[in-house]
Coordinates of all heavy atoms in Angstrom, one line a residue:
I47 N 97.8 100.4 105.1 CA 96.5 99.8 104.5 C 96.4 100.0 103.0 O 96.8 101.0 102.5 CB 95.3 100.5 105.1 CG1 95.4 100.3 106.7 CG2 94.0 100.0 104.8 CD1 94.6 101.3 107.5
T48 N 96.1 98.9 102.4 CA 96.0 98.9 100.9 C 94.5 99.1 100.5 O 93.5 98.6 100.9 CB 96.4 97.5 100.3 OG1 97.7 97.3 100.7 CG2 96.4 97.7 98.8
Y49 N 94.4 100.2 99.5 CA 93.1 100.6 99.0 C 93.2 100.2 97.5 O 94.2 100.5 96.8 CB 93.0 102.0 99.1 CG 92.9 102.5 100.6 CD1 94.1 102.7 101.4 CD2 91.8 102.8 101.3 CE1 94.1 103.1 102.7 CE2 91.7 103.1 102.6 CZ 92.8 103.2 103.2 OH 92.8 103.6 104.5
Y50 N 92.0 99.7 97.0 CA 92.0 99.2 95.6 C 91.0 100.1 94.9 O 89.8 100.1 95.4 CB 91.5 97.8 95.5 CG 92.5 96.8 96.2 CD1 92.4 96.4 97.5 CD2 93.6 96.3 95.5 CE1 93.3 95.7 98.2 CE2 94.5 95.3 96.2 CZ 94.3 95.0 97.5 OH 95.3 94.3 98.1
K51 N 91.4 100.8 94.0 CA 90.5 101.7 93.2 C 90.1 101.1 91.9 O 90.9 100.5 91.3 CB 91.3 103.1 92.8 CG 91.6 103.9 94.0 CD 92.6 104.9 93.6 CE 92.1 105.8 92.5 NZ 93.0 106.9 92.2
G52 N 88.8 101.3 91.5 CA 88.4 100.6 90.3 C 86.9 100.8 90.0 O 86.3 101.7 90.6
N53 N 86.3 99.9 89.3 CA 85.0 99.9 88.9 C 84.2 98.6 89.2 O 85.0 97.5 88.9 CB 84.7 100.3 87.5 CG 85.0 101.8 87.2 OD1 84.3 102.7 87.6 ND2 86.2 101.9 86.6
I54 N 83.1 98.5 89.9 CA 82.3 97.4 90.0 C 81.0 97.6 89.5 O 80.3 98.5 90.0 CB 82.3 96.9 91.4 CG1 83.7 96.5 92.0 CG2 81.4 95.6 91.6 CD1 83.7 96.2 93.5
G55 N 80.5 96.8 88.5 CA 79.3 97.1 88.0 C 78.9 98.5 87.4 O 77.9 99.0 87.6
G56 N 79.9 99.0 86.9 CA 79.9 100.4 86.3 C 80.0 101.5 87.4 O 79.9 102.7 87.0
K57 N 80.1 101.2 88.6 CA 80.2 102.2 89.6 C 81.7 102.3 90.1 O 82.5 101.3 90.2 CB 79.4 101.8 91.0 CG 78.0 101.5 90.7 CD 77.3 102.7 90.2 CE 75.7 102.5 90.3 NZ 75.2 101.4 89.6
S58 N 82.2 103.7 90.3 CA 83.5 103.9 90.8 C 83.6 103.6 92.3 O 82.8 104.2 93.1 CB 83.8 105.4 90.5 OG 85.1 105.7 91.0
V59 N 84.6 102.8 92.6 CA 84.6 102.2 94.0 C 86.0 102.3 94.5 O 87.0 102.2 93.8 CB 84.1 100.8 94.2 CG1 82.6 100.8 93.8 CG2 84.9 99.8 93.5
V60 N 86.2 102.4 95.9 CA 87.5 102.1 96.5 C 87.2 101.1 97.5 O 86.3 101.2 98.4 CB 88.1 103.4 97.0 CG1 87.2 104.1 97.9 CG2 89.5 103.1 97.6
V61 N 87.9 100.0 97.5 CA 87.7 98.8 98.5 C 89.0 98.7 99.4 O 90.1 98.8 98.9 CB 87.5 97.5 97.6 CG1 87.3 96.2 98.5 CG2 86.2 97.8 96.7
S62 N 88.8 98.3 100.6 CA 89.8 98.2 101.5 C 89.5 97.2 102.6 O 88.4 97.1 103.0 CB 90.3 99.5 102.1 OG 91.5 99.3 102.9
K63 N 90.5 96.5 103.1 CA 90.4 95.6 104.3 C 90.9 96.5 105.4 O 92.1 96.8 105.4 CB 91.2 94.3 104.2 CG 91.1 93.5 105.4 CD 92.2 92.4 105.4 CE 93.5 92.8 105.7 NZ 94.4 91.6 105.8
S64 N 90.0 96.9 106.4 CA 90.5 97.8 107.4 C 91.4 97.1 108.4 O 92.2 97.9 109.1 CB 89.2 98.4 108.2 OG 88.6 97.3 108.8
G65 N 91.2 95.9 108.6 CA 91.8 95.2 109.8 C 90.7 95.2 110.9 O 89.7 96.0 110.8
V66 N 91.1 94.5 112.0 CA 90.1 94.3 113.1 C 90.2 95.3 114.1 O 91.4 95.9 114.5 CB 90.4 92.8 113.8 CG1 89.5 92.7 115.0 CG2 90.1 91.8 112.8
G67 N 89.0 95.8 114.7 CA 89.1 96.9 115.7 C 88.7 98.2 115.3 O 88.7 98.6 114.2
K68 N 88.4 99.1 116.3 CA 87.8 100.4 116.1 C 89.0 101.2 115.5 O 88.6 102.1 114.7 CB 87.2 100.9 117.3 CG 86.0 100.1 117.9 CD 85.3 100.8 118.9 CE 86.2 101.0 120.1 NZ 85.5 101.7 121.3
V69 N 90.2 101.3 116.0 CA 91.2 102.2 115.5 C 91.5 102.0 114.0 O 91.5 102.9 113.2 CB 92.5 102.0 116.3 CG1 93.5 102.9 115.7 CG2 92.3 102.5 117.8
N70 N 91.6 100.7 113.7 CA 91.8 100.3 112.3 C 90.7 100.8 111.5 O 90.8 101.4 110.3 CB 92.0 98.8 112.1 CG 93.4 98.3 112.4 OD1 94.3 99.0 112.2 ND2 93.4 97.2 112.9
A71 N 89.5 100.7 111.8 CA 88.3 101.0 111.1 C 88.2 102.5 110.9 O 87.9 103.0 109.8 CB 87.0 100.6 111.7
A72 N 88.5 103.2 112.0 CA 88.5 104.7 111.9 C 89.6 105.3 110.9 O 89.3 106.2 110.1 CB 88.7 105.4 113.3
V73 N 90.8 104.7 111.1 CA 91.8 105.2 110.2 C 91.4 105.0 108.7 O 91.6 105.9 107.8 CB 93.2 104.6 110.6 CG1 94.3 104.9 109.5 CG2 93.6 105.1 111.9
T74 N 91.1 103.8 108.4 CA 90.7 103.4 107.1 C 89.5 104.2 106.5 O 89.7 104.7 105.3 CB 90.2 101.9 107.0 OG1 91.3 101.1 107.6 CG2 90.0 101.5 105.6
T75 N 88.6 104.5 107.3 CA 87.4 105.4 106.9 C 87.9 106.8 106.5 O 87.5 107.4 105.6 CB 86.4 105.5 107.9 OG1 86.0 104.1 108.3 CG2 85.1 106.2 107.6
Q76 N 88.7 107.4 107.4 CA 89.2 108.8 107.2 C 90.0 108.9 105.9 O 89.8 109.9 105.1 CB 89.9 109.3 108.4 CG 90.1 110.9 108.3 CD 88.9 111.6 108.4 OE1 88.1 111.5 109.4 NE2 88.5 112.5 107.4
I77 N 90.9 108.0 105.7 CA 91.7 107.9 104.6 C 90.8 107.7 103.3 O 91.0 108.4 102.3 CB 92.9 106.8 104.6 CG1 93.8 107.3 105.6 CG2 93.5 106.6 103.2 CD1 94.9 106.2 106.0
M78 N 89.8 106.8 103.4 CA 88.9 106.7 102.2 C 88.3 108.0 101.8 O 88.0 108.4 100.6 CB 87.8 105.8 102.5 CG 88.1 104.4 102.2 SD 86.6 103.3 102.3 CE 87.3 101.7 101.6
I79 N 87.9 108.9 102.9 CA 87.3 110.2 102.6 C 88.2 111.2 102.1 O 87.9 111.7 101.0 CB 86.5 110.6 103.9 CG1 85.4 109.7 104.3 CG2 85.9 112.0 103.7 CD1 84.8 109.8 105.8
D80 N 89.4 111.2 102.7 CA 90.3 112.3 102.4 C 91.1 112.1 101.2 O 91.3 113.0 100.4 CB 91.3 112.6 103.5 CG 90.6 113.2 104.8 OD1 89.6 113.8 104.6 OD2 91.2 113.1 105.9
A81 N 91.6 110.8 101.0 CA 92.5 110.5 99.9 C 91.7 110.1 98.6 O 92.3 110.2 97.6 CB 93.6 109.5 100.3
F82 N 90.6 109.4 98.8 CA 90.0 108.8 97.7 C 88.5 109.4 97.3 O 87.9 109.0 96.4 CB 89.8 107.3 97.8 CG 91.2 106.6 98.0 CD1 91.6 106.3 99.3 CD2 91.9 106.4 96.9 CE1 92.9 105.7 99.4 CE2 93.2 105.7 97.0 CZ 93.6 105.4 98.3
G83 N 88.2 110.4 98.2 CA 86.9 111.1 97.9 C 85.6 110.2 98.0 O 84.6 110.5 97.4
A84 N 85.7 109.2 99.0 CA 84.5 108.4 99.1 C 83.3 109.3 99.6 O 83.4 110.0 100.6 CB 84.8 107.3 100.1
A85 N 82.2 109.2 98.9 CA 81.1 110.0 99.1 C 80.0 109.3 100.0 O 79.0 109.7 100.5 CB 80.5 110.5 97.9
K86 N 80.0 107.8 99.9 CA 79.2 107.0 100.7 C 80.1 105.8 101.0 O 81.0 105.4 100.3 CB 78.0 106.5 99.8 CG 77.1 107.5 99.2 CD 76.0 106.8 98.3 CE 75.3 107.8 97.5 NZ 74.4 108.5 98.2
I87 N 79.8 105.3 102.2 CA 80.6 104.1 102.7 C 79.8 102.9 103.0 O 78.9 103.1 103.9 CB 81.6 104.6 103.8 CG1 82.7 105.6 103.3 CG2 82.4 103.2 104.3 CD1 83.7 105.9 104.2
L88 N 80.1 101.8 102.6 CA 79.4 100.5 102.9 C 80.4 99.6 103.7 O 81.6 99.5 103.3 CB 78.9 99.8 101.7 CG 78.2 100.6 100.6 CD1 77.9 99.7 99.4 CD2 77.0 101.2 101.1
F89 N 80.0 99.1 104.8 CA 80.9 98.2 105.6 C 80.2 96.7 105.6 O 79.1 96.6 106.0 CB 81.1 98.7 107.0 CG 82.3 98.0 107.7 CD1 83.5 98.5 107.7 CD2 82.0 96.8 108.2 CE1 84.6 97.9 108.4 CE2 83.1 96.1 108.9 CZ 84.3 96.6 109.0
T90 N 81.0 95.8 105.3 CA 80.5 94.4 105.3 C 81.4 93.5 106.2 O 82.6 93.8 106.4 CB 80.5 93.9 103.9 OG1 80.1 92.5 104.0 CG2 82.0 93.8 103.3
G91 N 80.8 92.6 106.8 CA 81.5 91.6 107.5 C 80.7 90.6 108.4 O 79.4 90.5 108.2
V92 N 81.2 90.0 109.4 CA 80.4 89.1 110.3 C 80.3 89.7 111.8 O 81.0 90.6 112.0 CB 81.0 87.8 110.4 CG1 81.2 87.1 108.9 CG2 82.4 87.8 111.0
A93 N 79.2 89.2 112.4 CA 79.1 89.8 113.7 C 78.5 88.6 114.6 O 78.0 87.6 114.1 CB 78.2 90.9 113.8
G94 N 78.4 88.8 115.9 CA 77.7 87.9 116.8 C 76.3 88.4 117.1 O 76.0 89.6 117.2
A95 N 75.4 87.6 116.9 CA 73.9 87.9 117.1 C 73.6 88.2 118.5 O 74.0 87.5 119.5 CB 72.9 86.8 116.7
L96 N 72.8 89.3 118.8 CA 72.3 89.6 120.1 C 70.8 89.5 120.1 O 70.1 89.2 121.1 CB 72.7 91.0 120.5 CG 74.2 91.3 120.6 CD1 74.4 92.8 120.9 CD2 74.8 90.4 121.7
H97 N 70.1 89.9 118.9 CA 68.7 89.9 118.8 C 68.2 88.4 118.8 O 68.8 87.5 118.2 CB 68.3 90.5 117.4 CG 66.9 90.8 117.2 ND1 65.9 89.8 117.2 CD2 66.3 92.0 117.2 CE1 64.7 90.3 117.0 NE2 64.9 91.7 117.1
P98 N 67.2 88.1 119.7 CA 66.8 86.7 119.9 C 66.3 86.1 118.7 O 66.3 84.8 118.6 CB 65.7 86.9 121.0 CG 65.3 88.3 120.9 CD 66.4 89.0 120.6
D99 N 65.7 86.8 117.7 CA 65.1 86.1 116.5 C 66.3 85.7 115.5 O 65.9 85.2 114.4 CB 64.2 87.1 115.8 CG 62.9 87.3 116.7 OD1 62.8 86.5 117.7 OD2 62.2 88.3 116.5
L100 N 67.5 86.2 115.7 CA 68.5 86.0 114.6 C 69.2 84.6 114.8 O 69.5 84.2 115.9 CB 69.6 87.1 114.8 CG 69.3 88.5 114.3 CD1 70.3 89.5 114.8 CD2 69.1 88.5 112.8
E101 N 69.4 84.0 113.6 CA 70.1 82.7 113.6 C 71.5 83.0 112.8 O 71.5 84.0 112.1 CB 69.2 81.6 112.9 CG 68.0 81.4 113.6 CD 68.1 80.8 115.0 OE1 69.2 80.2 115.2 OE2 67.2 80.9 115.8
V102 N 72.3 82.0 112.9 CA 73.5 82.0 112.1 C 73.2 82.1 110.6 O 72.4 81.4 110.1 CB 74.4 80.7 112.4 CG1 75.7 80.7 111.4 CG2 74.9 80.7 113.8
G103 N 73.9 83.0 110.0 CA 73.6 83.3 108.6 C 72.7 84.5 108.3 O 72.7 84.9 107.1
D104 N 71.9 84.9 109.3 CA 71.0 86.0 109.1 C 71.9 87.3 108.9 O 72.9 87.4 109.4 CB 70.0 86.2 110.2 CG 68.9 85.0 110.2 OD1 68.9 84.3 109.2 OD2 68.2 84.8 111.2
I105 N 71.2 88.4 108.5 CA 71.9 89.6 108.2 C 71.3 90.7 109.2 O 70.1 90.7 109.4 CB 71.6 90.2 106.8 CG1 72.3 89.1 105.8 CG2 72.1 91.5 106.6 CD1 73.7 89.0 105.8
V106 N 72.2 91.5 109.7 CA 71.8 92.8 110.4 C 72.2 94.0 109.6 O 73.4 94.1 109.1 CB 72.4 92.9 111.9 CG1 72.2 94.3 112.5 CG2 71.8 91.8 112.8
I107 N 71.3 94.8 109.3 CA 71.5 96.2 108.7 C 71.4 97.2 109.7 O 70.5 97.2 110.4 CB 70.4 96.4 107.5 CG1 70.5 95.2 106.4 CG2 70.6 97.8 106.9 CD1 69.2 95.3 105.5
S108 N 72.5 98.0 109.7 CA 72.5 99.0 110.8 C 71.5 100.1 110.7 O 71.3 100.7 109.6 CB 73.9 99.7 110.8 OG 74.0 100.5 109.6
S109 N 70.7 100.3 111.8 CA 69.8 101.5 111.9 C 70.7 102.6 112.5 O 70.7 103.8 112.0 CB 68.7 101.3 112.8 OG 69.0 100.7 113.9
E110 N 71.5 102.2 113.5 CA 72.6 103.2 114.0 C 73.6 102.3 114.6 O 73.4 101.0 114.8 CB 72.0 104.1 115.0 CG 71.4 103.5 116.3 CD 70.1 103.0 116.4 OE1 69.3 103.4 115.5 OE2 69.8 102.0 117.1
C111 N 74.8 102.9 115.1 CA 75.9 102.2 115.7 C 76.2 103.0 116.9 O 76.1 104.2 117.0 CB 77.0 102.2 114.8 SG 76.8 101.3 113.1
L112 N 76.7 102.1 117.9 CA 77.0 102.7 119.3 C 78.2 101.8 119.8 O 78.3 100.6 119.5 CB 75.8 102.4 120.2 CG 75.9 102.9 121.7 CD1 75.9 104.4 121.7 CD2 75.0 102.3 122.5
Q113 N 79.1 102.5 120.5 CA 80.3 101.8 121.1 C 79.9 101.2 122.4 O 79.8 102.0 123.4 CB 81.5 102.8 121.2 CG 82.0 103.3 119.9 CD 83.2 104.2 120.3 OE1 84.2 103.9 120.9 NE2 83.1 105.4 119.7

Side-chain angles (χ1 to χ4, degrees):
I47 300 161
T48 304
Y49 298 81
Y50 300 90
K51 297 165 58 182
N53 293 284
I54 297 176
K57 304 294 195 306
S58 180
V59 300
V60 56
V61 175
S62 184
K63 180 187 78 170
S64 66
V66 174
K68 293 188 299 180
V69 173
N70 280 326
V73 170
T74 305
T75 304
Q76 192 64 58
I77 290 174
M78 267 195 175
I79 295 166
D80 289 344
F82 299 98
K86 301 176 192 291
I87 296 184
L88 315 175
F89 192 100
T90 178
V92 299
L96 302 175
H97 193 290
D99 295 340
L100 286 168
E101 299 295 336
V102 171
D104 290 349
I105 298 292
V106 169
I107 300 166
S108 62
S109 52
E110 70 273 334
C111 299
L112 179 77
Q113 296 180 55

